[in-house]
Amino acid sequence: EHKMAQGDKHAEECLFKANEAQQTGDVEDAHRLYTIGLETAVCQDLRSTLVGNRSVLWARMGHWDMALGDANESVRLRPSWSRSYECKGAALEGLDRLSEALDAFKKARSFDFG
């Protein structure tokens, strides 16, 4: 179990550094760090956060298919987290799949207000 905790600790450090890199516009470093974090994270909620944030990064870069793939993985890992569905909605909107995007955004709101 100690090894699992170490993996998550390393992944949390990657998440923190990746978020900082994304805020400063260093998308390549942010992507690298989210991916490294995913390689070591064990906790499903942490994995969901990493992959959800990477989905946002893909969306910012206009890579909508990649954004949707990561958003779907975030939903799979944490189906009760509204942010997973927000990421999915944004990716679907970018792909001009507006009806599906609206459904995803409605699902996100259902967790916040339902």
Side-chain angles (χ1 to χ4, degrees):
E1 279 198 50
H2 180 70
K3 188 176 181 187
M4 289 196 317
Q6 281 300 107
D8 284 342
K9 185 173 188 291
H10 180 257
E12 283 182 349
E13 290 170 7
C14 288
L15 176 63
F16 179 77
K17 289 176 184 172
N19 288 346
E20 282 188 334
Q22 186 166 187
Q23 287 171 352
T24 61
D26 189 349
V27 293
E28 285 184 19
D29 200 40
H31 180 271
R32 181 182 64 80
L33 287 161
Y34 287 136
T35 301
I36 291 169
L38 281 164
E39 290 170 2
T40 61
V42 177
C43 169
Q44 277 198 242
D45 285 357
L46 179 55
R47 292 184 61 77
S48 177
T49 300
L50 285 158
V51 79
N53 286 14
R54 193 173 69 179
S55 174
V56 171
L57 187 65
W58 284 125
R60 284 182 63 192
M61 295 164 48
H63 297 296
W64 302 111
D65 286 324
M66 300 298 287
L68 181 58
D70 276 357
N72 282 333
E73 178 65 4
S74 185
V75 167
R76 187 188 72 75
L77 289 166
R78 193 166 16 163
S80 61
W81 190 39
S82 64
R83 184 151 164 80
S84 297
Y85 293 94
E86 290 168 3
C87 293
K88 183 174 181 174
L92 288 164
E93 187 176 357
L95 290 166
D96 207 30
R97 292 164 56 180
L98 302 182
S99 176
E100 293 171 85
L102 185 59
D103 288 343
F105 288 130
K106 284 180 182 174
K107 182 86 171 173
R109 286 184 61 95
S110 75
F111 293 111
D112 292 333
F113 303 106

